[in-house]
Amino acid sequence: MPSLNLRLLAYVLVLALVLVAPVYAQTTEYTIASESNLYVDGTSNSTPEWRVYATQIDGTLSMDEEGSVVSVQLVVPSKMMKSRKSPIMDRGMYGALKANEHPEIVYELASVSDFAASDDGTFTLNAAGNLTIAATTQEILIPVEGVSQEDGSVHFTGTHTMLMTDYGLKPPSMMFGQFRTGDELVITFELIAVPGE
């Protein structure tokens, strides 16, 4: 009797592997190319708007055989957010992000809905994921547009509006309060995913 149970267990394990293996085989892995762009727009009391750029974006992404996104993880070092214009603005942003204590901004995909693809290689989807800034995580929903390229890469674009205070962040105030930023930020991304080696 024990030998029968062992044979049955072995059969179940083999069957599970046979059923699960194709799922993994149908997934394509990508990395986020250095040519990708991500920037944040905001407002202040002294200028109409300001912008800071993510000068480093690390990440991986996977897609299924239908072209829908299965997983995403993005990491932006907090001190790689730069204005490209003002060191004062950079220091204010690092302070607001608590960059010394929390050196990374992290996004992880949780689920995808409303995936729709066209014959021309374009597609749309809604990405639900978790954005973590300064140790505070919020679930966010982002409408995303994608385009599959002839070289095998996939380009993703989208925007997300957020409030700094939702993450426990205090909008930067510099030059003894003469320059104060607004609470609302708009994140825009243009990510290029290239197939892994």
Side-chain angles (χ1 to χ4, degrees), residues 11-188:
Y11 173 76
V12 171
L13 289 174
V14 170
L15 180 61
L17 288 173
V18 169
L19 293 175
V20 172
V23 174
Y24 286 98
Q26 295 163 2
T27 300
T28 303
E29 303 296 323
Y30 297 81
T31 57
I32 302 303
S34 58
E35 297 84 2
S36 300
N37 291 301
L38 186 152
Y39 53 88
V40 179
D41 290 312
T43 59
S44 76
N45 63 321
S46 61
T47 59
E49 61 182 27
W50 51 266
R51 175 175 291 180
V52 293
Y53 300 83
T55 57
Q56 179 181 330
I57 307 170
D58 300 315
T60 58
L61 179 149
S62 63
M63 299 178 67
D64 62 23
E65 63 177 356
E66 295 180 355
S68 184
V69 179
V70 176
S71 66
V72 179
Q73 184 178 57
L74 301 175
V75 178
V76 175
S78 301
K79 288 191 176 181
M80 297 306 287
M81 298 295 299
K82 298 182 181 295
S83 66
R84 297 182 180 174
K85 290 183 178 180
S86 170
I88 295 176
M89 182 64 193
D90 293 347
R91 289 195 296 271
M93 183 60 63
Y94 302 155
L97 292 173
K98 306 174 185 176
N100 289 332
E101 297 86 357
H102 308 288
E104 294 182 338
I105 300 167
V106 179
Y107 172 83
E108 292 191 18
L109 180 71
S111 63
V112 167
S113 61
D114 301 323
F115 173 75
S118 301
D119 293 337
D120 61 359
T122 63
F123 58 90
T124 59
L125 57 86
N126 287 323
N130 296 309
L131 178 62
T132 301
I133 305 174
T136 297
T137 301
Q138 297 284 351
E139 184 174 348
I140 61 176
L141 182 66
I142 307 176
V144 178
E145 296 182 359
V147 182
S148 298
Q149 305 293 321
E150 292 184 0
D151 63 0
S153 66
V154 185
H155 294 198
F156 298 89
T157 58
T159 61
H160 172 66
T161 301
M162 58 165 277
L163 298 178
M164 296 184 72
T165 50
D166 285 345
Y167 293 83
L169 306 178
K170 184 178 179 180
S173 177
M174 292 153 280
M175 300 172 64
F176 303 101
Q178 295 182 41
F179 180 86
R180 299 186 303 277
T181 66
D183 190 13
E184 184 176 276
L185 304 177
V186 179
I187 303 170
T188 302

